[in-house]
Amino acid sequence: MIDLPQSGRGLEGYSLLAAQVEALLADERDLIANAAQFAAFLFYELDGLSWAGFYFNRDEQLLLGPFQGRVACVRIPFGRGVCGTAAATRQTQRVEDVHAFAGHIACDSASNSELVVPLEKHGRLLGVLDLDSPRHARFSLEDQQGIEALVAIFLRLTDC
Ligand code: SME
């Protein structure tokens, strides 16, 4: 059996996605509008996702923001689960098997892998972007780098 890559996107794919995000967010700088657009864009353009969305930093807690997918946890303390760890450490969390991640918060039992990118602007933590997948190890290092580049475009084109 041929072992196909799970994401199906190379760096070339992320260059195209980057150009699309630039165009999508070019005419608006509002945080809520751009976060909603960006979450919808990722959810429909990346394959194999069950959830894509934002949590915003509200006094050292993460508060649910615009997203696509099933209903989710509303508040997550810094340090808890994958999202809270990304917020507390300000490091991207790429988790191949969420069930093996200590403290993982199972909002959706169908989720098996997760990528959480912290959102930092001018040294401030705005929140995190959370992507969930029912596939094991859905996110490669290449996906991480591509999605971090998309997040950088989102932050540059958004007032926050
Ligand atoms: N599983 C996440 C919680 C957020 S939801 O999956 C949308 C976590 O452990 O941080």
Side-chain angles (χ1 to χ4, degrees):
M1 201 170 94
I2 302 169
D3 191 17
L4 291 170
Q6 297 222 317
S7 74
R9 280 188 192 281
L11 286 177
E12 207 174 287
Y14 278 106
S15 305
L16 176 60
L17 292 176
Q20 290 174 311
V21 172
E22 291 270 358
L24 180 69
L25 306 181
D27 297 331
E28 181 56 64
R29 296 199 59 88
D30 180 82
L31 173 61
I32 300 299
N34 282 2
Q37 289 284 64
F38 191 47
F41 178 83
L42 294 174
F43 187 75
Y44 286 100
E45 294 304 321
L46 299 175
D47 53 86
L49 299 191
S50 50
W51 203 90
F54 287 85
Y55 281 91
F56 293 127
N57 179 3
R58 295 284 183 273
D59 301 323
E60 306 278 303
Q61 280 200 338
L62 292 169
L63 178 66
L64 184 63
F67 71 94
Q68 297 277 320
R70 290 184 183 276
V71 294
C73 315
V74 175
R75 288 183 185 268
I76 300 173
F78 274 31
R80 273 210 59 209
V82 185
C83 291
T85 300
T89 61
R90 298 193 180 197
Q91 302 278 320
T92 296
Q93 302 295 306
R94 184 164 60 87
V95 181
E96 296 197 339
D97 177 5
V98 294
H99 306 289
F101 189 97
H104 168 247
I105 303 164
C107 290
D108 180 354
S109 58
S111 172
N112 282 312
S113 63
E114 191 158 343
L115 183 77
V116 183
V117 180
L119 309 169
E120 273 192 277
K121 196 161 179 178
H122 309 309
R124 251 183 349 104
L125 185 81
L126 173 71
V128 302
L129 174 79
D130 179 18
L131 303 179
D132 290 1
S133 175
R135 293 187 199 159
H136 282 278
R138 158 67 181 80
F139 304 100
S140 64
L141 181 58
E142 195 172 70
D143 288 312
Q144 175 180 337
Q145 290 165 345
I147 290 160
E148 286 173 342
L150 300 182
V151 165
I153 296 169
F154 165 80
L155 290 170
R156 173 165 52 76
L157 295 180
T158 302
D159 290 332
C160 48

